[in-house]
C-alpha cells in the first residue's frame, strides 16, 4: 500500500473490510462457517494494521488516543474466535475514518474553492494595446482588463464606469454586486457582467486573494484543541473500559463478555466528531465572510466576553465622505463638487481623493485641471475649464478670494470643511466626515444579546472625535489617544473580565491583535501587518459579519460538546449492558458504531448553522419584496 495517499488508503481499507464482512456472511449462510471465519479474519487484518500504525504514531507524539480501545477490541475478538464481531468493528472503524475524510472534505469545500480559482495571468493595457502577463509582473497602477467570467487577479479599484461582480467565493453573498468607478475590488471576485478596467493597487503576492489562500492553508493544518482535550480524557476512558471488561470476565468467568465490553467501547469515529464540528464551523464562518485561521481561534471566539474595537477603518469606514454641501451663490451643490473634484485630481491628499471618488461615483466627467499649485497644509489653486478655482481650508480659500474668513463653530469634531472659490468669489463648502460603518449599531445590539458583556473603543484619535463617533452606541468605555502599546495594555487589563477579542485594521493595531485572545483584522483594506497578527479576518469591510462569526463559533463548539458528551455517555451505558450479558460482541459492535456515526453526523450540523442576524436580514428582504409586489399590484 506504499505510495497511496491517506484518503485512498482509507477507501481501500474500507473496501477490503466491507468485502470481507459480506463475503464471510455469504459463506456462513451457505453452510461454510469455517471458511467464513477465515475470510472475516483476512478482512480485519488491514484495518487492524492501519490502526496499530496510527496508535504507534500517536504514542510517538506523546498522545494516547481512544483508538487503543478499538485495537484491543479487534484483537480480543480474533483471539477468542469472535471473528464476525471483529469484522463488524473493522468495517465500522474503517467506515468511520472514511466518513471523517468525507466530512473534512465537505467542510473545507468552500475554502478549497478559493484555491481552485487562483488566476495565473492577467490582461494588461500597454502602449495602446493589450498583453497577457504573469501575475508576478503586475505592479500597482497598472490598468488591467477583466473579461466576463474572469477572476480578479489582484486588489484594485474600478477604472471603468461600472462593474458587476460575484463575490460568493469570498463572502457567501448569493447575488452579484454592482460597483461603480473608484470602488475597491478584492482579488478572487468573479466578473459576472461586461468586461471592465481595473487599476491595480497591490501586487499579486500582497493582494487579498493571495493572503486568503495562505490563511486557508494555515487553517487546514490546524488541530482542534478540543480533540486534544478529548485525548486527555482517553486515558480515563481506557481505564474505565478495562475495569468493566476485567470485572465482567472475573465475576462471570466468560471472556466473551469482556470482548463484548471492549467492542461496545470502541470509539473509533467518536473522537473525530470534535474536529469535524470545528472544521465545519470554520467553513461555515468563511461562507459568511469570516476566515478563521484555525480551530483554536474558533473555539476561543465562542467564549469571548469582552470586545475591543478600533475606530478608524473598523468602527468607521476609514474614508472621508461628504455629509453636506452649502452654496453661497447661484451654483448648485453638484457644480461645486465638480469644480472641487476636478482640481483635486492633481492632489494625493486623502480628502482630495475622497472628493474625486465622490464626484466620479455620481457619474461626473471631470475635466483636467491646469496651472495647478498645491500649498501644503492649505489647499490648491488652479484653472478648470478656464475658471480660476481655489479649494482647501476655509481660511485659506477666504484669503485667496479676498473675503473675511469667518468662523464655523458648529462643525462637529472630526469633520473636515472644504471651501471652494471660483473666479474670486466664495462659491460654497463641503463638509466631510468619517461615518460609522453601516450596521454598526445593530451589530453592537446583537453582540450584547449573544453574551458579549463588555464592548469598548480603543483609538489613537482625539477624545472629542471618539466621543462624537460613538455617541448613541452605548459602549462600556471609550479609550482615546492610545499608542500601540496603550492598546496592548488595554487588552491585558480587560482579561480580568474574561476572554478578549480585539478588532482592528491598521499597522498600529497589530500588537494588540496579537496580544488579544482572539485578534480580528478587517481584511479588505486592512494593513498586511494586522492580517498577519490576527487570528481571524473579515473578508469584507462590513463589521456586521463579526456577529455572524461569533454566533457560528458558539454553535460549532456547542455541537462539538454535544457529540463528545452523547458519544461517551452512550458508550458507557452500552459497556454496562454488555458486562451484564445483554449484548453479544456482534450486537455491541453494531450498537457502538451506530452511536459513533450518529455523533459525527451530528457534528456535521455545524455546516448548517445560520446566524440569527442573517435570518433577520433575509426576513426584512422578503418583507420588502412582498411590499413592492403589493404596491405594483
Amino acid at each position: 500500500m506504499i505510495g497511496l495517499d491517506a484518503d485512498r488508503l482509507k477507501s481501500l481499507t474500507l473496501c477490503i473490510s466491507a468485502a470481507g464482512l459480506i463475503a464471510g456472511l455469504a459463506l456462513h449462510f451457505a453452510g461454510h462457517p469455517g471458511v467464513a471465519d477465515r475470510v472475516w479474519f483476512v478482512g480485519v487484518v488491514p484495518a487492524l494494521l492501519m490502526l496499530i500504525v496510527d496508535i504507534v504514531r500517536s504514542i510517538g507524539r506523546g498522545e494516547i488516543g481512544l483508538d487503543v480501545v478499538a485495537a484491543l477490541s479487534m484483537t480480543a475478538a480474533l483471539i477468542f474466535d469472535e471473528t464476525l464481531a471483529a469484522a463488524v468493528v473493522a468495517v465500522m472503524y474503517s467506515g468511520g475514518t472514511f466518513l471523517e475524510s468525507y466530512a473534512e472534505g465537505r467542510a473545507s469545500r468552500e475554502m478549497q474553492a478559493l484555491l481552485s480559482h487562483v488566476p495565473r495571468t492577467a490582461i494588461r493595457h500597454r502602449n495602446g494595446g493589450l498583453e497577457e502577463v504573469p501575475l508576478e509582473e503586475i505592479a500597482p497602477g497598472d490598468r488591467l482588463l477583466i473579461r466576463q467570467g474572469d477572476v480578479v487577479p489582484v486588489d484594485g479599484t474600478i477604472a471603468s464606469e461600472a462593474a458587476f461582480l460575484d463575490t460568493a467565493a469570498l463572502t457567501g453573498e448569493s447575488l452579484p454586486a454592482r460597483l461603480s468607478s473608484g470602488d475597491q475590488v478584492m482579488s478572487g471576485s468573479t466578473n459576472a457582467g461586461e468586461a471592465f478596467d481595473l487599476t491595480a493597487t497591490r501586487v499579486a503576492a500582497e493582494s487579498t486573494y493571495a493572503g486568503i489562500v495562505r490563511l486557508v492553508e494555515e487553517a487546514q493544518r490546524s488541530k482542534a484543541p478540543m480533540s486534544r482535550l478529548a485525548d486527555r480524557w482517553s486515558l480515563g476512558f481506557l481505564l474505565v473500559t478495562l475495569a468493566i471488561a476485567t470485572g465482567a470476565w472475573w465475576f462471570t468467568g466468560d471472556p466473551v463478555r469482556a470482548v463484548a465490553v471492549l467492542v461496545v467501547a470502541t470509539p473509533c469515529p467518536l473522537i473525530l466528531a470534535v474536529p469535524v464540528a470545528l472544521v465545519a464551523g470554520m467553513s461555515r464562518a468563511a461562507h459568511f465572510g469570516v476566515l478563521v485561521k484555525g480551530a483554536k481561534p474558533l473555539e476561543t471566539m465562542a467564549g469571548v466576553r469582552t470586545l475591543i474595537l478600533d475606530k478608524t477603518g473598523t468602527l468607521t469606514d476609514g474614508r472621508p465622505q461628504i455629509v453636506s454641501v452649502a452654496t453661497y451663490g447661484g451654483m448648485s451643490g453638484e457644480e461645486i463638487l465638480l469644480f472641487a473634484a476636478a482640481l483635486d485630481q492633481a492632489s494625493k491628499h486623502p480628502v482630495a481623493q475622497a472628493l474625486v471618488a465622490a464626484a466620479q461615483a455620481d457619474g461626473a466627467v471631470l475635466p483636467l485641471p491646469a496651472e495647478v499649485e498645491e500649498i501644503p497644509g492649505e489647499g490648491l489653486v488652479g484653472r478648470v475649464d478656464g475658471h480660476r478655482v481655489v479649494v482647501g481650508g476655509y481660511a485659506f480659500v477666504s484669503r485667496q478670494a479676498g473675503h473675511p474668513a469667518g468662523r464655523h463653530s458648529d462643525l462637529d469634531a472630526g469633520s473636515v470643511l472644504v471651501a471652494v472659490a471660483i473666479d474670486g468669489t466664495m462659491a460654497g463648502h463641503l463638509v466631510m466626515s468619517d461615518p460609522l460603518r453601516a450596521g454598526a449599531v445593530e451589530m453592537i445590539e446583537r453582540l450584547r444579546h449573544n453574551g458579549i458583556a463588555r464592548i469598548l473603543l480603543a483609538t489613537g484619535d482625539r477624545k472629542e472625535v471618539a466621543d462624537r463617533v460613538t455617541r448613541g452606541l452605548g459602549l462600556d468605555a471609550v479609550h482615546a489617544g492610545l499608542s500601540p502599546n496603550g492598546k496592548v495594555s488595554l487588552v491585558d487589563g480587560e482579561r480580568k473580565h474574561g476572554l478578549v477579542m480585539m478588532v482592528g485594521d491598521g499597522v498600529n493595531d497589530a500588537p494588540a491583535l496579537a496580544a488579544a485572545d482572539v485578534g480580528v483584522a478587517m481584511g479588505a483594506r486592512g494593513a498586511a501587518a494586522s492580517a498577519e497578527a490576527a487570528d481571524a479576518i473579515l473578508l469584507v469591510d462590513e463589521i456586521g459579519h463579526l456577529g455572524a462569526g461569533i454566533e457560528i463559533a458558539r454553535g460549532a463548539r456547542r455541537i462539538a460538546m454535544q457529540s463528545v458528551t452523547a458519544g461517551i455517555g452512550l458508550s458507557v451505558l452500552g459497556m454496562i449492558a454488555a458486562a451484564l450479558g445483554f449484548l453479544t460482541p456482534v450486537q455491541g459492535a453494531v450498537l457502538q458504531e451506530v452511536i459513533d456515526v450518529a455523533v459525527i453526523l451530528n457534528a456535521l450540523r455545524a455546516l448548517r448553522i445560520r446566524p440569527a442576524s442573517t435570518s433577520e436580514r433575509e426576513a426584512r428582504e422578503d418583507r420588502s419584496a412582498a411590499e413592492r409586489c403589493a404596491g405594483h399590484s
Side-chain angles (χ1 to χ4, degrees):
M1 290 181 285
I2 296 175
L4 293 175
D5 60 35
D7 290 340
R8 291 180 61 190
L9 181 60
K10 292 174 182 177
S11 300
L12 180 60
T13 303
L14 174 59
C15 291
I16 293 174
S17 301
L21 176 62
I22 294 171
L25 287 172
L27 289 167
H28 180 80
F29 288 114
H32 303 286
V35 180
D37 286 338
R38 289 192 289 272
V39 171
W40 285 329
F41 186 96
V42 171
V44 170
V45 170
L48 182 57
L49 289 176
M50 186 176 72
L51 181 54
I52 291 173
V53 170
D54 289 341
I55 291 172
V56 171
R57 289 175 178 171
S58 298
I59 293 175
R61 295 191 301 266
E63 301 173 357
I64 299 179
L66 291 174
D67 288 345
V68 172
V69 180
L72 286 175
S73 66
M74 277 190 272
T75 303
L78 292 178
I79 291 174
F80 292 102
D81 206 26
E82 292 285 345
T83 52
L84 176 56
V88 173
V89 173
V91 169
M92 292 303 179
Y93 171 79
S94 54
T97 57
F98 176 80
L99 181 59
E100 173 205 10
S101 297
Y102 167 76
E104 290 183 342
R106 180 181 173 188
S108 62
R109 187 175 302 158
E110 290 156 1
M111 295 185 182
Q112 289 290 348
L114 297 174
L115 301 175
S116 65
H117 284 77
V118 175
R120 305 298 179 188
T121 61
I123 306 298
R124 181 171 65 185
H125 289 273
R126 179 58 59 89
N127 299 326
L130 296 172
E131 59 179 359
E132 186 171 4
V133 296
L135 291 190
E136 295 76 15
E137 296 185 14
I138 297 175
D142 284 351
R143 191 180 180 97
L144 308 177
L145 174 65
I146 311 299
R147 299 166 298 189
Q148 188 173 32
D150 280 355
V151 174
V152 178
V154 297
D155 293 351
T157 58
I158 302 294
S160 299
E161 183 176 346
F164 204 52
L165 290 170
D166 180 2
T167 62
L170 297 175
T171 67
E173 295 291 339
S174 58
L175 297 176
R178 186 182 187 279
L179 301 180
S180 302
S181 177
D183 285 347
Q184 299 283 335
V185 179
M186 288 188 295
S187 54
S189 304
T190 302
N191 182 11
E194 299 297 326
F196 68 92
D197 284 349
L198 178 85
T199 301
T201 57
R202 293 180 180 175
V203 298
E206 297 177 358
S207 288
T208 301
Y209 200 70
I212 291 172
V213 170
R214 288 193 297 270
L215 294 176
V216 167
E217 293 170 342
E218 183 178 336
Q220 290 173 331
R221 290 193 298 267
S222 67
K223 180 178 180 179
M226 287 184 68
S227 68
R228 291 194 292 269
L229 176 61
D231 287 342
R232 292 196 294 270
W233 293 348
S234 65
L235 182 58
F237 186 78
L238 177 59
L239 294 176
V240 170
T241 300
L242 292 177
I244 296 176
T246 303
W249 189 356
W250 177 268
F251 288 107
T252 66
D254 185 3
V256 174
R257 288 205 184 186
V259 173
V261 171
L262 291 173
V263 168
V264 173
T266 305
C268 315
L270 170 61
I271 208 62
L272 304 177
V274 178
V276 166
L278 295 181
V279 171
M282 291 164 56
S283 172
R284 191 60 172 164
H287 178 78
F288 285 95
V290 184
L291 180 63
V292 185
K293 288 185 179 181
K296 181 178 180 180
L298 185 78
E299 185 186 358
T300 306
M301 186 182 293
V304 164
R305 298 288 294 166
T306 298
L307 174 64
I308 301 176
L309 297 167
D310 175 47
K311 183 183 74 68
T312 306
T314 300
L315 193 59
T316 68
D317 189 68
R319 294 174 294 187
Q321 296 183 15
I322 299 173
V323 295
S324 66
V325 180
T327 61
Y328 304 152
M331 281 192 174
S332 66
E334 291 77 11
E335 290 174 309
I336 291 174
L337 175 59
L338 176 67
F339 277 104
L343 184 60
D344 275 340
Q345 291 178 100
S347 174
K348 293 183 178 181
H349 193 280
V351 173
Q353 294 301 303
L355 281 174
V356 172
Q360 292 175 337
D362 287 342
V365 178
L366 302 179
L368 293 176
E371 303 175 17
V372 179
E373 178 185 5
E374 183 167 5
I375 296 86
E378 298 282 356
L380 288 88
V381 180
R383 303 193 72 83
V384 175
D385 281 347
H387 298 277
R388 185 177 184 274
V389 179
V390 183
V391 177
Y394 192 83
F396 167 74
V397 175
S398 296
R399 291 195 303 270
Q400 293 287 323
H403 291 280
R407 300 182 65 184
H408 283 270
S409 57
D410 58 337
L411 192 65
D412 289 335
S415 298
V416 175
L417 186 146
V418 179
V420 181
I422 300 174
D423 294 330
T425 301
M426 290 291 290
H429 70 257
L430 307 98
V431 176
M432 307 190 71
S433 182
D434 185 11
L436 281 174
R437 288 183 179 274
V441 176
E442 292 80 3
M443 182 208 70
I444 297 295
E445 294 176 352
R446 188 166 62 251
L447 289 173
R448 291 199 184 279
H449 178 73
N450 289 330
I452 302 296
R454 289 176 58 78
I455 303 177
L456 303 84
L457 181 76
T459 178
D461 213 335
R462 292 171 294 145
K463 183 70 165 61
E464 57 269 24
V465 176
D467 288 339
R468 179 188 63 80
V469 169
T470 59
R471 190 178 300 129
L473 286 181
L475 301 183
D476 294 282
V478 175
H479 298 268
L482 294 180
S483 65
N485 287 338
K487 292 184 178 182
V488 172
S489 297
L490 178 61
V491 168
D492 292 338
E494 284 296 321
R495 280 205 172 89
K496 62 180 179 287
H497 299 291
L499 295 176
V500 178
M501 174 186 286
M502 171 72 191
V503 184
D505 76 324
V507 174
N508 62 330
D509 297 317
L513 293 174
D517 296 296
V518 180
V520 180
M522 305 295 294
R525 294 201 312 269
S530 63
E532 291 294 330
D535 301 297
I537 311 292
L538 293 183
L539 299 180
V540 290
D541 277 332
E542 293 184 18
I543 196 69
H545 286 253
L546 179 63
I550 293 176
E551 290 183 53
I552 291 169
R554 291 185 171 176
R557 185 183 65 172
R558 182 176 61 254
I559 290 171
M561 290 304 300
Q562 288 173 354
S563 297
V564 170
T565 304
I568 291 182
L570 292 174
S571 295
V572 171
L573 292 177
M575 284 189 286
I576 295 173
L580 296 175
F582 294 112
L583 294 174
T584 66
V586 173
Q587 292 170 338
V590 173
L591 174 63
Q592 178 56 64
E593 302 312 331
V594 167
I595 294 172
D596 292 336
V597 171
V599 296
I600 287 183
L601 293 177
N602 180 67
L604 284 172
R605 290 193 303 113
L607 288 169
R608 301 193 303 272
I609 296 173
R610 179 172 295 278
S613 55
T614 304
S615 301
E616 293 169 2
R617 183 182 63 189
E618 291 178 348
R620 287 196 300 269
E621 291 174 353
D622 291 342
R623 286 196 298 270
S624 297
E627 290 171 358
R628 287 195 298 271
C629 291
H632 289 311
S633 62

